[in-house]
């Protein structure tokens, strides 16, 4: 059997590559055939408890203990999501094995849709009108001014940039914050700790699309909220641990924060007795902002494996020191 070959590369060898697959919560009856079609030259097996045979690549989401540790032959691990926090925190990927994450793979447009939805929900006061309907009241809520409705996006990576691009189409002033400097047309870019105060100034909506790293845990806290204008809105689509949940509740109580839309929470699923469930100013979704779609993901991962087999480095390589 020949090994996969990346687009544009002619070399072929006769070794079969071994792929180990485990994707928590996804239907293997959809994923395995799709992978086998995309990589017909590879042996692809679903991980089973006790499988200790060598593998060239592991394609995983929430791998169980024993899947990655001491796995012989491992050339790379593919995280079947954008965020690699859980995989890195598990400590299961051997230090010398590169980790690749999903870049876009159909998620960026979903995240952009979600960010636009959340901003419009606040801007057009749909949250307020829903409350009026509950009270059977045919009321009027004064509109906000678009020019004063500045949206700030924390994390100007693949997801943040996609959200910014779509929000700009609606004419909102957009600001972005990242670790390193950026130049993005129509977006006022700030970076680093030194640029944070400038970024937060004048924001009406804060959209968080940061990865969870040691630097970003609880970055959305009372101190940061204190630097926002009163009555700002918060949207967290990154990871639950980016937000200090107690500080958000306090911010909502004092009016510092007007309302929040959260797709992610510190504990998922959200515990039954959590105060977020019944909070009138919190809108929740169960971590669905950017779903991993089989077709797009398989296409991206298959091409990345082909590139690796040809000695190239595909994009999506995670910097394990930075944690994203
Ligand atoms: P990405 O391309 O790696 O972008 C990450 C961005 O965060 C970059 O702009 C990076 O700055 C910035 N950043 C990282 N650490 C920072 C720090 N300490 N200070 C300031 N900026 C910092 O990642 P992505 O694909 O956009 O995804 C971002 C995160 O979204 C994922 O890690 C995941 O947690 C979350 N996500 C959630 C869902 C969902 O369904 N809710 C779906 C997809 C992704 P530089 O550009 O300077 O490196
Ligand atoms: C989803 O949360 C992801 O990181 O892809």
């Amino acid at each position: 059997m020949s090994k996969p070959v990346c687009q544009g590369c002619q070399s072929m060898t006769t070794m079969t590559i071994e792929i180990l697959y485990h994707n928590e919560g996804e239907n293997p009856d959809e994923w395995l055939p799709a992978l086998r079609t995309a990589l017909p030259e590879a042996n692809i097996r679903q991980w089973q408890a006790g499988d200790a045979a060598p593998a060239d690549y592991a394609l995983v989401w929430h791998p169980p203990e024993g899947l990655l540790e001491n796995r012989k032959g491992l050339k790379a691990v593919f995280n079947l999501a954008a965020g690699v926090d859980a995989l890195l925190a598990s400590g299961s990927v051997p230090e010398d094995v590169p980790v690749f994450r999903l870049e876009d793979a159909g998620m960026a447009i979903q995240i952009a849709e979600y960010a636009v939805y959340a901003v419009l929900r606040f801007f057009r006061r749909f949250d307020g009108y829903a409350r009026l309907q509950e009270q059977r009241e045919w009321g009027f809520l004064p509109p906000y001014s678009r020019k004063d409705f500045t949206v700030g996006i924390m994390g100007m990576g693949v997801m943040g940039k996609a959200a910014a691009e779509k929000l700009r189409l609606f004419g909102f002033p957009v600001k972005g914050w990242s670790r390193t400097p950026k130049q993005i047309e129509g977006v006022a870019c700030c970076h680093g700790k030194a640029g944070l105060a400038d970024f937060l100034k004048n924001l009406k909506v804060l959209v968080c699309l940061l990865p969870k790293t040691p630097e970003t845990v609880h970055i959305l806290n009372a101190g940061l909220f204190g630097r926002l204008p009163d009555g700002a809105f918060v949207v967290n689509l990154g990871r639950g641990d980016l937000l200090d949940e107690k500080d958000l509740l306090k911010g909502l109580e004092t009016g510092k924060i007007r309302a929040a839309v959260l797709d992610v929470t510190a504990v998922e699923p959200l515990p039954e007795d959590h105060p977020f469930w019944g909070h009138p100013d919190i809108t929740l979704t169960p971590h669905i902002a950017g779903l991993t779609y089989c077709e797009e993901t398989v296409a991206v991962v298959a091409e990345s494996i082909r590139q690796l087999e040809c000695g190239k480095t595909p994009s999506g390589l995670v910097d394990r020191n930075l944690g994203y």
Side-chain angles (χ1 to χ4, degrees):
M1 236 182 246
S2 56
K3 75 175 184 180
V5 171
C6 77
Q7 282 168 15
C9 184
Q10 299 306 313
S11 70
M12 303 270 279
T13 69
T14 52
M15 295 258 295
T16 299
I17 61 168
E18 295 289 335
I19 296 178
L20 194 51
Y21 166 84
H22 172 87
N23 196 358
E24 189 182 273
E26 296 290 339
N27 180 3
D29 294 342
E30 181 187 11
W31 282 75
L32 287 171
L35 284 164
R36 288 178 181 135
T37 303
L39 291 163
E41 318 88 324
N43 249 346
I44 300 164
R45 65 186 197 269
Q46 164 123 36
W47 182 79
Q48 309 286 347
D51 177 341
D56 296 292
Y57 300 101
L59 279 43
V60 295
W61 177 239
H62 288 180
E65 214 180 310
L67 193 156
L68 295 171
E69 295 90 344
N70 305 318
R71 178 72 50 185
K72 288 210 172 63
L74 210 49
K75 296 178 196 166
V77 174
F78 287 88
N79 182 63
L80 297 174
V84 287
D85 46 294
L87 182 63
L88 298 187
S90 74
S92 60
V93 190
E95 280 303 320
D96 56 339
V97 175
V99 174
F100 292 87
R101 67 181 198 91
L102 289 186
E103 286 180 313
D104 191 350
M107 263 184 283
I109 183 70
Q110 299 174 63
I111 290 285
E113 286 162 357
Y114 195 119
V116 166
Y117 150 76
V119 170
L120 292 180
R121 176 177 169 81
F122 298 138
F123 177 63
R124 294 300 310 272
R125 312 206 62 166
F126 294 130
D127 54 341
Y129 283 112
R131 212 165 290 171
L132 286 181
Q133 182 181 351
E134 275 162 29
Q135 294 155 10
R136 308 180 78 84
E137 199 180 318
W138 191 262
F140 174 77
L141 300 168
Y144 290 112
S145 142
R146 191 180 309 269
K147 70 174 174 34
D148 297 333
F149 220 82
T150 302
V151 182
I153 302 176
M154 296 181 88
M156 288 303 286
V158 178
M159 302 298 150
K161 276 190 214 146
E165 185 194 316
K166 299 297 180 220
L167 284 162
R168 278 190 55 219
L169 296 178
F170 284 89
F172 294 109
V174 178
K175 292 168 92 174
W177 186 68
S178 51
R179 192 178 53 81
T180 58
K182 300 254 176 293
Q183 280 199 320
I184 301 168
E185 203 192 327
V187 179
C189 293
C190 307
H191 68 277
K193 284 187 183 139
L196 187 57
D198 240 14
F199 165 75
L200 296 169
K201 224 184 296 166
N202 305 328
L203 294 192
K204 194 72 184 171
V205 188
L206 180 66
V207 177
C208 186
L209 276 164
L210 288 167
K212 178 186 165 186
T213 71
E215 291 275 305
T216 61
V217 168
H218 281 191
I219 193 166
L220 303 178
N221 60 27
L224 181 142
F225 296 154
R227 293 198 260 173
L228 285 170
D230 289 345
F233 299 96
V234 171
V235 179
N236 187 15
L237 311 181
R239 284 289 182 265
D241 285 329
L242 302 176
L243 172 70
D244 184 321
E245 297 187 339
K246 286 199 183 64
D247 285 1
L248 175 66
L249 289 169
K250 185 147 275 156
L252 289 166
E253 202 182 301
T254 61
K256 182 74 210 173
I257 304 298
R258 172 64 198 82
V261 170
L262 308 174
D263 181 54
V264 285
T265 52
V267 179
E268 294 178 2
L270 191 68
E272 239 174 77
D273 59 349
H274 197 287
F276 283 0
W277 280 117
H279 199 292
D281 294 317
I282 293 179
T283 303
L284 290 171
T285 49
H287 202 147
I288 49 77
L291 301 170
T292 298
Y293 289 145
C294 174
E295 190 182 334
E296 289 93 332
T297 302
V298 165
V300 168
V301 172
E303 177 55 21
S304 296
I305 289 177
R306 292 199 167 95
Q307 291 189 17
L308 284 164
E309 287 296 307
C310 294
K312 298 173 184 163
T313 304
S315 70
L317 180 62
V318 171
D319 182 329
R320 292 176 71 171
N321 290 319
L322 291 173
Y324 70 99

